[in-house]
Amino acid sequence: MVATVSSLFIYPDSDSPGQELDSVEVTASGPEGNRAKKHAVHLVTADDYVETHPKANIVLDMESAVLGGLVGRVVRLGECTLKVTQAPSQCAGVYAEVVTPGHVSVDDALMVAEPE
């Protein structure tokens, strides 16, 4: 399964709108410049982003059900490896922790590791 990154956002302040980026360095605590949050990375599909505008960091061009099915899986975006940990209780998408920090850009492919 492959999808691509369609948009990247950081939210430096909780009350400010997101800043759209062409690329970002994802550190152990999440995208560089993003405010500290309980979950390092929030991924969402393009359709859910357009419909609900969650404060997600990475917007992907894939179906919501497919993204939701990645909980518990390891994915790679650009140079960054993430473990998808859970679905949020109050908004669309999934949360992930950073396994290997690295650079992510718009149009990078999402690659899903085989289950262990």
Side-chain angles (χ1 to χ4, degrees):
M1 167 197 352
V2 177
T4 56
V5 175
S6 60
S7 303
L8 295 165
F9 294 91
I10 59 169
Y11 300 87
D13 301 306
S14 61
D15 296 333
S16 299
Q19 296 176 11
E20 189 167 6
L21 306 171
D22 292 327
S23 64
V24 69
E25 191 69 26
V26 178
T27 68
S29 60
E32 196 169 81
N34 202 51
R35 73 183 187 283
K37 293 168 53 176
K38 181 178 176 183
H39 303 282
V41 181
H42 184 182
L43 299 98
V44 70
T45 66
D47 287 344
D48 285 336
Y49 182 79
V50 169
E51 288 178 23
T52 64
H53 300 291
K55 289 192 172 184
N57 305 114
I58 300 174
V59 182
L60 300 163
D61 69 345
M62 63 191 310
E63 293 184 20
S64 299
V66 176
L67 180 60
L70 295 178
V71 172
R73 303 287 296 273
V74 174
V75 300
R76 185 163 184 87
L77 289 167
E79 300 170 353
C80 179
T81 304
L82 304 170
K83 180 170 184 182
V84 181
T85 56
Q86 69 184 70
S89 60
Q90 307 231 340
C91 63
V94 295
Y95 292 134
E97 64 185 36
V98 179
V99 177
T100 306
H103 195 80
V104 178
S105 299
V106 169
D107 295 328
D108 278 350
L110 170 79
M111 304 301 288
V112 181
E114 292 297 322
E116 293 180 1

